[in-house]
Amino acid sequence: MLKKNSSIKLIKYYNFINYNLIYNNKSINRYKKDNYGLSEDKTKNLESLKKSIINLKNCNLKKTAKNVVFCDGNPKSRIMLIGEAPGANEDEEGLPFVGRAGILLDKMLASISLDRKKVYISNIVNYRPPENRRPTDEEIKRYLPFITKHIEIINPKILVLLGSTAMNALIGKDIVISKMRGKWIEKKFGNCKTFVLITFHPAFLMRQPAQKKLSWIDLKMIRDKKSKLNI
Ligand code: URA
């Protein structure tokens, strides 16, 4: 017989290793789709935007990519995060930030009591560039109207741009992330007026872990703004 203390420890351990995920033989659905009680209008607008992206012609990325990567998270959230482009795992699953950078992103969110059910996530480009190269200027230009429309539909109060590709695409070409990160910028995207924060991309932080201390400053800024805006 296990003593009470050992049983508690064992339960804690099973929760820690996410016992259900490991031993449950049902298929894994980590990012279970949820409608979040979304209005008909927003649902239609998002579906129609996704269709326009899927129907887009003259895009080389589509020749090599397996799936469109449109979004993850809560479309009702007032916090939207935008990365660069899908990688191999994202292409496989059709969801943004599910690879190693995604794991770090989840940890970053958790550090300020957020998770994917509380934010909305997308990318500048919706198809994986071959060999995970950066999207070219031409590719970014092609997808820019879509991500701008995406922001307008989601209408976030806080927009977090992860890395320089998202920053250069949406804020300006001649700026550098080392100077721009960690500052709130008010910006309009169509009818959406939002507070933008530029911060480091999680993939960059994996290569340059020393920069995590600056990233933590940015995360705390998001946490404070969220509370100030009553989100
Ligand atoms: N990097 C990104 O910028 N986006 C993803 O979805 C995954 C990795």
Side-chain angles (χ1 to χ4, degrees), residues 69 82-91 95-102 105 121-125 162 165 201-203:
V69 176
I82 301 180
E84 178 178 303
N89 296 291
E90 290 76 20
D91 185 34
L95 287 168
F97 285 100
V98 291
R100 284 175 60 226
L105 180 62
I121 308 176
S122 191
N123 278 311
I124 294 293
V125 159
L162 300 165
T165 301
H201 192 289

Side-chain angles (χ1 to χ4, degrees), residues 108 162-163 177 181 198-202 204-205 211 214-215 218:
M108 290 159 69
L162 300 165
I177 194 158
R181 60 143 288 279
I198 297 157
T199 189
F200 294 130
H201 192 289
F204 169 79
L205 293 174
Q211 303 301 322
L214 292 178
S215 165
D218 302 346

Side-chain angles (χ1 to χ4, degrees), residues 21-39:
L21 192 63
I22 295 173
Y23 295 109
N24 189 333
N25 60 5
K26 280 192 213 145
S27 64
I28 294 175
N29 192 353
R30 271 182 294 167
Y31 304 109
K32 205 169 158 213
K33 280 289 152 216
D34 190 331
N35 179 276
Y36 294 98
L38 203 60
S39 71

